Amino acid sequence: MGIVSVRNLKKEYGDFTAVDGISFDIEQGEIFGFLGPNGAGKTTTINMLIGLCRPTAGTIFIDGIDSIKDIKKAQSIMGVVADESNLYDEMDGYDNLCFCASLYGMRKAEREKRAKELLEWFGLKNAGRRPFRAYSKGMRRKLTIAAGIIHKPKILFLDEPTTGIDVESARQIRSLILDLKRQGTTVFLTTHYIEDAQRICDRIAFIVNGKIVKSGTVEELMENAEKEHIIKLTLNDNANGIKAELQRHFPTIRIEAEEGNTCFISSPERIALSPLLQYLDKKGISVFEAKEMRPTLEDVFVKVTGIEVNKLHKEKEGGKK
Amino acid sequence: MNSWIAFWNILKKDIRNYYLKPPNISWGIIFPLSWTLMQLIGTPQAGLDSIRGLLPGLMGMSILFGTTSMLAVTITFERRGRSFERLLIAPISMTTMVLAKISGAIIFGVSIAFSPLLFAAFLTELSGINWGVAIISILLMAVTSTLLGFAIAVSSKEVFEAQTYSNFFRFPMLFLSGLFLPIEKLPVFLRPVSYCLPLTYGVDMLNGAIMHTGYMNVWLSLTVLIGFGVLLFYFCQWNIKRKWIL
Ligand SMILES: Nc1ncnc2c1ncn2[C@@H]1O[C@H](COP(=O)(O)OP(=O)(O)OP(=O)(O)O)[C@@H](O)[C@H]1O
Ligand SMILES: [Mg+2]
């Protein structure tokens, strides 16, 4: 049993099922990621784990504590970063951190030392005396994360840590999360950025419509996909015109044409290119480029969930207030 | 010990952040103060004793408006910015959390309650007040009004909404709790309502302490007020669990 152990967890709102009987374990010291589109049930799952939402059915054990029965005990070892940066607008960064520490019973001297340490570590030292309402989005995110770890929680829940902030801040936050892992913190995060998941998570679960459709380490998830060999060809002519004929001629490989002059050929075996090139040459079509494509986690995600990845981001950023 | 640190810091934060927020200034300070001044100055000079007679009502009114508006501000601002969730996920009991949240409003209400006394001290003689009973009744009125405000705040999303809902209760209570009109002068069918309002008992106690014209037995009022307090305290906790932990 992991430090977090969830079995058949379910949440219904009226007759709508937001989380539909999921089970998973998080091992001590690992970074576990939930990857899924809007409305998949990621936030609902986190809320059930941290005690902001009552499960309809199922069990949750956190560090051996039955957290449905004894949530207050479990909460003392958790840190939580909500999907919105929810600190106090009226207070400055330093006071915000000290206040959050006090909620976990930390003493004054200890609070102040830790708050200074974190402001420094997050690069917010100069903003420490500015009110939270004057912070930029990225600064707000960082301070909210700092507030979530001020009491050195054993396990940290991060709901979309990098959504809506610039590339550089997102990179900093990823490296902060990896630092935390090095210090022994267990991390559960949700995201819809595949790169985020791939770069920092030890294990990932794909969640769609309240169900975990696939989970494992990045290598495990990629295992089947890597058996496929894909080559991208760039032609001097419209690829669609030649597609049907090509497919007839080479039935063992799969051929997909994109708009314009590119097409993808794929096969479970390694693909011998020369017959193909000769054939195309005979047809008067030149091949400018042939490039082997390594399948990405993104491809796996699309295949498993049937969700187009770029659509996933756009909806989210447009949809957020 | 740990709970005490959390309690104290929540209280300190609320006092610092919200006592001087505009919605609290208008409904919790300006409104009761101007009402008080209007009544005190409007009273004919002939009856200085009647100034003293106004005090229990004015103090009750100040407590009612002071506590409920402060409470509405501390809850709804934090609900809207979602920082309230921090209190729900902190390892402190619901009891500690509710106590911390209401304390700021209670202290505020009690302080505002002394403003009519302060003004009256310039205008008339204030000897012969039973301070023990007065202070206990002020405190209990503040506690019950705060909890009533809490119950309203749990049901509203926005600050202005909470202030508006509060007014639905506050203004009728001004007239139904015997603050300015003795209950015997109310139409018969309204009197049962009066006896369902905690403020009625608090003001009656205060009348006893200041004017020695208490209508009900002090012990009865005391018991009823404590009863209201305990009931509302548990109702609030139950309501938070029901409404805010989905
Ligand atoms: N209080 C609620 N009442 C009714 N339905 C709800 C409630 N909270 C969430 N839902 C529904 O549950 C589903 C899952 O929501 P959830 O917030 O967990 O999604 P998510 O995976 O976090 O999505 P996002 O990426 O947009 O944050 C959604 O369809 C949502 O509409
Ligand atoms: Mg979410």
Side-chain angles (χ1 to χ4, degrees):
Chain A
M1 196 163 89
I3 186 167
V4 174
S5 177
V6 171
R7 291 289 171 273
N8 305 317
L9 191 64
K10 192 169 182 170
K11 179 66 188 181
E12 291 168 351
Y13 292 109
D15 52 12
F16 176 76
T17 307
V19 172
D20 196 0
I22 60 174
S23 303
F24 60 91
D25 278 275
I26 305 176
E27 300 303 327
Q28 170 102 47
E30 74 172 343
I31 302 181
F32 183 79
F34 254 23
L35 184 63
N38 293 136
K42 303 181 295 292
T43 300
T44 308
T45 305
I46 284 204
N47 283 350
M48 285 193 278
L49 294 177
I50 62 176
L52 273 184
C53 175
R54 233 185 310 271
T56 311
T59 58
I60 303 170
F61 280 87
I62 290 177
D63 204 20
I65 303 160
D66 181 345
S67 87
I68 294 177
K69 281 213 191 86
D70 198 357
I71 183 66
K72 288 294 159 192
K73 189 167 169 205
Q75 280 172 341
S76 65
I77 59 160
M78 294 179 193
V80 178
V81 178
D83 53 356
E84 268 173 54
S85 297
N86 59 343
L87 284 162
Y88 300 88
D89 276 338
E90 298 80 7
M91 292 197 278
D92 64 32
Y94 177 76
D95 286 345
N96 260 303
L97 292 183
C98 289
F99 174 73
C100 290
S102 77
L103 291 178
Y104 292 83
M106 284 169 70
R107 282 161 197 292
K108 194 172 160 97
E110 202 186 348
R111 291 200 293 265
E112 290 176 345
K113 179 167 159 269
R114 186 85 177 124
K116 279 180 200 139
E117 223 172 81
L118 285 174
L119 284 174
E120 177 101 52
W121 187 29
F122 281 74
L124 293 171
K125 207 173 161 197
N126 294 327
R129 279 299 170 201
R130 258 185 272 161
F132 186 62
R133 90 165 73 74
Y135 276 36
S136 76
K137 225 170 183 178
M139 290 159 78
R140 291 168 78 88
R141 206 69 197 124
K142 284 184 207 158
L143 195 74
T144 308
I145 295 174
I149 59 173
I150 192 153
H151 55 291
K152 299 194 173 159
K154 235 170 140 170
I155 164 157
L156 177 64
F157 295 89
L158 289 162
D159 200 354
E160 297 187 9
T162 57
T163 298
I165 58 177
D166 69 30
V167 180
E168 174 58 14
S169 299
R171 194 190 58 74
Q172 286 171 0
I173 287 174
R174 278 196 299 269
S175 94
L176 287 166
I177 297 171
L178 287 170
D179 281 347
L180 284 172
K181 175 192 150 118
R182 249 168 257 132
Q183 293 164 18
T185 311
T186 307
V187 179
F188 177 27
L189 64 85
T190 74
T191 181
H192 38 188
Y193 293 113
I194 289 175
E195 318 86 79
D196 267 13
Q198 191 162 12
R199 280 190 204 150
I200 61 175
C201 292
D202 297 304
R203 284 191 308 129
I204 299 170
F206 294 163
I207 177 168
V208 181
N209 292 330
K211 290 201 181 79
I212 293 180
V213 290
K214 199 177 173 79
S215 71
T217 62
V218 175
E219 293 78 55
E220 282 165 358
L221 291 169
M222 300 288 295
E223 204 172 11
N224 288 324
E226 266 166 357
K227 288 188 186 135
E228 178 119 291
H229 298 272
I230 305 170
I231 291 172
K232 177 182 171 189
L233 298 179
T234 310
L235 313 175
N236 72 338
D237 202 359
N238 192 307
N240 254 317
I242 195 86
K243 183 190 162 200
E245 207 182 328
L246 209 56
Q247 184 72 78
R248 224 177 312 122
H249 226 82
F250 298 92
T252 54
I253 55 181
R254 212 175 68 201
I255 300 177
E256 278 171 74
E258 267 196 353
E259 296 157 47
N261 298 353
T262 48
C263 75
F264 291 90
I265 58 176
S266 58
S267 156
E269 313 286 320
R270 300 222 67 173
I271 301 168
L273 274 179
S274 53
L276 203 85
L277 296 180
Q278 274 166 16
Y279 179 81
L280 286 170
D281 204 36
K282 244 188 280 165
K283 291 273 158 195
I285 294 171
S286 337
V287 177
F288 292 133
E289 196 184 348
K291 193 174 167 195
E292 168 145 46
M293 305 295 290
R294 308 285 305 158
T296 58
L297 191 61
E298 191 167 315
D299 299 322
V300 179
F301 182 82
V302 173
K303 210 163 174 183
V304 171
T305 64
I307 293 163
E308 285 298 329
V309 172
N310 51 1
K311 213 167 150 193
L312 194 102
H313 301 315
K314 280 193 192 114
E315 259 170 38
K316 183 73 187 184
E317 271 142 22
K320 275 255 148 152
K321 300 143 268 177
Chain B
M1 188 60 208
N2 283 355
S3 293
W4 174 247
I5 293 178
F7 172 88
W8 176 238
N9 280 279
I10 294 172
L11 175 57
K12 224 165 47 179
K13 165 185 71 65
D14 282 358
I15 290 178
R16 268 207 217 130
N17 290 348
Y18 304 123
Y19 272 11
L20 294 181
K21 275 259 176 198
N24 194 43
I25 293 183
S26 58
W27 286 108
I29 301 175
I30 295 180
F31 178 81
L33 280 188
S34 44
W35 183 297
T36 298
L37 284 174
M38 181 182 81
Q39 294 262 321
L40 290 182
I41 293 166
T43 308
Q45 289 302 311
L48 273 185
D49 212 34
S50 61
I51 284 183
R52 192 165 167 156
L54 285 171
L55 278 180
L58 288 173
M59 290 166 78
M61 182 269 310
S62 303
I63 293 170
L64 180 62
F65 277 83
T67 53
T68 49
S69 77
M70 174 63 188
L71 202 281
V73 169
T74 66
I75 302 290
T76 42
F77 267 108
E78 295 190 359
R79 285 291 299 164
R80 203 181 46 186
R82 287 187 47 193
S83 49
F84 199 87
E85 283 173 12
R86 295 190 173 275
L87 306 181
L88 295 174
I89 59 169
I92 50 171
S93 68
M94 187 73 80
T95 310
T96 309
M97 194 271 279
V98 173
L99 280 175
K101 284 312 264 185
I102 63 174
S103 295
I106 291 171
I107 294 170
F108 184 76
V110 169
S111 326
I112 289 289
F114 283 96
S115 59
L117 267 181
L118 216 67
F119 289 127
F122 289 106
L123 300 172
T124 182
E125 180 67 28
L126 285 179
S127 59
I129 292 178
N130 184 342
W131 287 105
V133 175
I135 284 170
I136 289 172
S137 67
I138 287 171
L139 204 64
L140 286 173
M141 275 193 278
V143 171
T144 49
S145 305
T146 302
L147 287 166
L148 217 54
F150 208 136
I152 295 164
V154 176
S155 318
S156 36
K157 284 204 176 63
E158 294 287 338
V159 182
F160 82 91
E161 194 177 280
Q163 295 285 15
T164 314
Y165 283 164
S166 303
N167 283 342
F168 278 131
F169 292 86
R170 291 190 291 211
F171 281 102
M173 276 173 80
L174 282 186
F175 298 100
L176 291 172
S177 305
L179 293 176
F180 303 108
L181 278 178
I183 292 174
E184 316 90 84
K185 290 205 179 139
L186 287 175
V188 180
F189 67 96
L190 278 178
R191 278 183 222 167
V193 182
S194 300
Y195 290 107
C196 294
L197 300 173
L199 209 55
T200 305
Y201 301 89
V203 169
D204 194 69
M205 265 178 93
L206 201 54
N207 256 318
I210 294 176
M211 299 297 290
H212 311 290
T213 58
Y215 188 67
M216 286 171 280
N217 182 301
V218 175
W219 295 107
L220 173 76
S221 297
L222 196 68
T223 316
V224 172
L225 279 169
I226 292 173
F228 265 116
V230 172
L231 217 69
L232 283 166
F233 187 65
Y234 284 103
F235 173 74
C236 282
Q237 293 192 39
W238 174 78
N239 219 2
I240 291 173
K241 283 185 194 150
R242 197 174 59 103
K243 287 230 159 126
W244 290 346
I245 299 180
L246 293 167

